[in-house]
Amino acid sequence: MGNRFQGLDRFAAGAQYIGGRLRPGTSGRGHTVVDPATGDDVLTYALAGSADVDAAVAAARDAFPGWAGATPAERSEAMHRFAARLAERAEEFAQAESLQCGKPIKLTREFDVPGTVDNTAFFAGAARHLQGQSAGEYSGDHTSYIRREPIGVVGSIAPWNYPLQMAAWKVLPAIAAGNTIVLKPAELTPLTSLLFAQAATEAGIPDGVVNIVTGAGKEAGEHLVGHPAVAMTSFTGSTAVGKRVAEIATATVKRLHLELGGKAPFVVFDDADLEAAAHGAVAGALINTGQDCTAATRAYVQRPLYDAFVTAVADLMATVRLGDPFDESTDLGPLISHAQRDRVAGFVDRARSYATVVTGGVAPHNDGAYYRPTLITGAAQDSEIVQAEIFGPVLVVLPFDSDEEGLALANDTPYGLAASAWTRDVYRAGRATREIKAGCVWVNDHIPIISEMPHGGYKASGFGKDMSTYSFEEYTQVKHVMYDNTAVARKDWHRTVFGDR
Ligand code: NAD
């Protein structure tokens, strides 16, 4: 079954969603969304300029008092309707996401869209469970309590690899906590963020609570981050751009949440289930054509299993079917663009001089941005292919001897987003989960995420959490309220100012 999503019809009014309606961008520059599986144009839209960002921030600021003042139950009910609306439109969202990203339709139907519906339902419930420390008479003479308050207008910036889920991860905790938001998706992939905001409006979430500006990073992105009426920046993207975003946000003293790059290790101890580890490595490396910040990228395999693991992974990679994203039998779609395909090929081609490409390393044709699953061995730990984020269907395998060495190698990159350990030994698993420096460590699996649990990095992978009630730590501010209980005019502590008593 082919694509039925018609971007041109849907966004004829423009690709900026501000104050509950679509309008065209005013930057004077356009951008074309391209289907990476065919190279065909999907939609040409006018990019947002500074004036559009200003309009979106003004809409969000206007909507803030009403939304922040709604009861948790009111926000929760609107968000439950939002989840229901998303579920009703699931197939449309799956098609739009597959079209703009080249994702296999089975991935968008079974992962991106249901995950987003579940996230929305989760935050609809969580909106009623904002918690704080209990009130108490800590000084004896006062009662203290905590107010957990929304921050205001949140400015968020998202990448192209999971456009719908990234929009959801940014928007949902922010609005559940009573903030309003302006989200800038990646230029390449605006479609599902716009549909998501429209669904929010259809569900009765007030105009201006969720706004989308689709513009270039340097122009709309930097203007949003530096905007004086934006109280917080939440950014997901590369570590390089994250550093620039941090500079601008710091200069305007904003709260900052950064979800950055990853280079996840996959540590296989010599007692592991080899078949499970090989399947886990191939699925973990190839999901979303490897364009996943938590993808398995570096497999460290203890020497006794090393040769068998390399053979098993190469054999499994050969069974993965590249093809039309809208064909239900397709396992692996193209990369997001020909430019990204060429970037990935560049990493692999440079690695040929110092490592072995066991399988893959080939772009099968030039019609779409496809690249075959690629397995590399013989690379040194400090080589580019082991250290840099490639963001493509490429797995590097290295051997190790002692457990200590395997864990040290796992920690030896600037990143710390996710990792996995493969063993049947509970003590080895325990040591790995304690010693690996990453925001998530799986044991005997790699990739699954769940709405109830946080996602976020250590080290150069950033700070702050998406998903789960931990994300409320980013999207709320804590106020201490202290009441005097004595009703005495001259309080005991005044002696420090008024002399001895
Ligand atoms: P990117 O950093 O190039 O772009 C991300 C977003 O930032 C885009 O919307 C882009 O327009 C915008 N941007 C670019 N320059 C900007 C600037 N100067 N100021 C403000 N905004 C700017 O990343 P990408 O190529 O879209 O996505 C891939 C990256 O995202 C990878 O590094 C991946 O690991 C990371 N990622 C991380 C997570 C996570 O949860 N940690 C999740 C998904 C993707």
Side-chain angles (χ1 to χ4, degrees):
M1 190 197 68
N3 162 59
R4 284 185 276 115
F5 184 81
Q6 298 299 327
L8 273 178
D9 301 349
R10 186 51 75 94
F11 301 115
Q16 313 301 327
Y17 196 75
I18 298 173
R21 67 179 183 91
L22 287 170
R23 53 161 101 168
T26 62
S27 68
R29 291 189 300 117
H31 185 86
T32 300
V33 178
V34 174
D35 173 355
T38 60
D40 294 344
D41 292 356
V42 172
L43 170 74
T44 299
Y45 66 97
L47 287 163
S50 302
D52 305 307
V53 173
D54 291 344
V57 171
R61 203 180 38 197
D62 290 349
F64 177 70
W67 184 246
T71 65
E74 287 164 346
R75 285 200 291 270
S76 174
E77 280 166 23
M79 291 183 71
H80 275 300
R81 291 194 299 270
F82 187 16
R85 190 74 190 114
L86 293 171
E88 281 163 23
R89 292 175 57 180
E91 181 58 21
E92 181 191 2
F93 276 82
Q95 293 210 11
E97 195 76 326
S98 284
L99 181 65
Q100 66 178 352
C101 301
K103 291 171 190 268
I105 192 75
K106 66 180 177 184
L107 180 68
T108 53
R109 281 187 186 145
E110 294 174 28
F111 182 66
D112 299 75
V113 177
T116 299
V117 173
D118 186 68
N119 243 250
T120 311
F122 172 82
F123 278 109
R128 301 184 75 166
H129 292 279
L130 282 165
Q131 290 172 350
Q133 201 177 346
S134 63
E137 285 67 48
Y138 302 100
S139 78
D141 287 345
H142 306 84
T143 296
S144 287
Y145 66 86
I146 291 295
R147 289 178 54 82
R148 188 176 279 277
E149 299 179 342
I151 295 171
V153 177
V154 176
S156 287
I157 296 180
W160 44 256
N161 61 336
Y162 289 102
L164 176 62
Q165 294 201 84
M166 293 304 104
W169 288 13
K170 296 296 174 213
V171 168
L172 297 169
I175 68 170
N179 302 283
T180 56
I181 187 166
V182 178
L183 169 74
K184 193 201 85 61
E187 303 88 301
L188 299 176
T189 55
L191 304 183
T192 46
S193 305
L194 292 165
L195 295 178
F196 187 70
Q198 284 180 315
T201 302
E202 288 163 12
I205 292 177
D207 292 350
V209 172
V210 181
N211 306 276
I212 309 290
V213 289
T214 56
K218 273 243 158 263
E219 188 176 0
E222 293 201 4
H223 192 64
L224 180 61
V225 177
H227 201 294
V230 170
M232 169 184 171
T233 296
S234 177
F235 171 83
T236 298
S238 61
T239 298
V241 175
K243 288 178 183 169
R244 172 77 186 130
V245 165
E247 277 174 18
I248 302 170
T250 304
T252 50
V253 196
K254 284 187 174 56
R255 183 179 285 220
L256 186 59
H257 171 205
L258 294 176
E259 296 280 0
L260 307 178
K263 186 75 182 177
F266 184 104
V267 185
V268 183
F269 294 96
D270 60 11
D271 67 312
D273 178 334
L274 179 66
E275 188 189 356
H279 279 82
V282 174
L286 300 186
I287 185 162
N288 208 39
T289 318
Q291 302 163 118
D292 184 307
C293 50
T294 63
T297 57
R298 304 175 283 140
Y300 297 99
V301 184
Q302 212 154 21
R303 196 84 58 180
L305 288 190
Y306 177 78
D307 288 339
F309 180 85
V310 169
T311 303
V313 166
D315 289 350
L316 280 171
M317 280 186 168
T319 68
V320 171
R321 299 159 299 185
L322 278 66
D324 174 4
F326 288 92
D327 181 336
E328 282 163 14
S329 66
T330 293
D331 300 320
L332 198 74
L335 289 133
I336 188 70
S337 63
H338 282 77
Q340 180 69 6
R341 195 269 318 268
D342 293 346
R343 184 174 177 273
V344 169
F347 280 110
V348 175
D349 290 343
R350 289 191 292 281
R352 292 180 204 276
S353 66
Y354 58 79
T356 303
V357 178
V358 177
T359 186
V362 177
H365 54 74
N366 207 33
D367 298 343
Y370 289 89
Y371 198 72
R372 287 208 188 284
T374 300
L375 175 62
I376 294 179
T377 59
Q381 172 67 16
D382 63 358
S383 60
E384 179 189 58
I385 203 89
V386 177
Q387 292 291 324
E389 187 180 43
I390 296 169
F391 234 51
V394 180
L395 178 69
V396 188
V397 187
L398 294 92
F400 69 91
D401 291 304
S402 67
D403 290 17
E404 192 170 32
E405 183 197 359
L407 295 173
L409 290 169
N411 281 329
D412 180 27
T413 74
Y415 297 110
L417 188 58
S420 63
W422 296 74
T423 175
R424 293 167 159 121
D425 180 334
V426 69
Y427 295 101
R428 270 179 155 165
R431 179 177 180 189
T433 57
R434 285 193 303 277
E435 293 190 9
I436 293 177
K437 305 279 181 276
C440 171
V441 182
W442 292 280
V443 176
N444 296 326
D445 207 342
H446 194 111
I447 289 296
I449 50 175
I450 196 79
S451 297
E452 287 82 353
M453 287 290 138
H455 168 91
Y458 281 26
K459 297 159 61 180
S461 294
F463 46 79
K465 299 295 180 192
D466 285 321
M467 303 206 293
S468 84
T469 52
Y470 284 95
S471 62
F472 287 144
E473 300 302 326
E474 320 307 327
Y475 293 102
T476 58
Q477 50 198 350
V478 164
K479 181 183 284 174
H480 169 212
V481 179
M482 195 176 211
Y483 277 76
D484 169 60
N485 292 335
T486 63
V488 172
R490 189 165 169 149
K491 315 222 190 280
D492 192 39
W493 71 268
H494 289 179
R495 71 182 183 277
T496 61
V497 175
F498 297 125
D500 297 339
R501 302 184 90 170

